[in-house]
Amino acid sequence: QVQLVESGGGSVQAGGSLRLSCAASGLTYRNYCMGWFRQAPGKVRERVARIASDGTTEYIDSVKGRFTISQDNAKNTFYLVMNSLKPEDTAMYYCALTERSSAFCPLSVAGYRYWGQGTQVTVSS
């Protein structure tokens, strides 16, 4: 059973930075997909970035060049560094993980089996 615990959220002004962490315990999959999702009030949860066990990454267009996803295999911890934050980045951020069963990592919420509890990011203008 994989457990995910996020940390690092907070409140910043526009243009600021935050680093989110997601500590994974019980991770035994050799091949996996890990994603950072966010959900703003009244909006659907969307995948912001993902990293696979092979190190490949993907981002949505609105965060490319500003957010960086990474992993520390020794610590079983995943990170999302968010720079040049904008008010529209305000949301609850979740990390999620699933075993990788194809060449592609899932885009949808339903594709991820394990979820963290979420951490709030608030960006003020």
Side-chain angles (χ1 to χ4, degrees):
Q1 184 78 358
V2 177
Q3 291 186 319
L4 304 174
V5 178
E6 300 104 334
S7 60
S11 297
V12 296
Q13 290 191 327
S17 299
L18 285 172
R19 188 182 77 161
L20 305 183
S21 299
C22 175
S25 60
L27 178 58
T28 58
Y29 297 135
R30 182 176 179 180
N31 298 305
Y32 57 81
C33 296
M34 181 274 168
W36 283 101
F37 288 75
R38 67 184 179 189
Q39 187 168 19
K43 294 191 176 181
V44 298
R45 192 173 297 189
E46 64 175 349
R47 196 188 73 182
V48 173
R50 69 90 176 153
I51 188 165
S53 47
D54 61 4
T56 57
T57 60
E58 274 186 294
Y59 301 88
I60 57 172
D61 287 345
S62 61
V63 307
K64 284 180 180 177
R66 300 190 299 122
F67 291 12
T68 303
I69 190 171
S70 63
Q71 59 186 343
D72 184 331
N73 292 325
K75 296 181 179 179
N76 271 356
T77 300
F78 303 88
Y79 303 97
L80 185 67
V81 174
M82 305 183 294
N83 296 319
S84 302
L85 282 162
K86 304 176 180 180
E88 51 263 44
D89 295 317
T90 295
M92 184 72 80
Y93 283 71
Y94 300 88
C95 63
L97 187 141
T98 195
E99 186 175 16
R100 189 175 189 178
S101 57
S102 74
F104 303 97
C105 283
L107 182 63
S108 68
V109 169
Y112 289 80
R113 181 174 181 182
Y114 302 103
W115 289 83
Q117 81 285 356
T119 186
Q120 178 68 37
V121 171
T122 303
V123 185
S124 58
S125 57

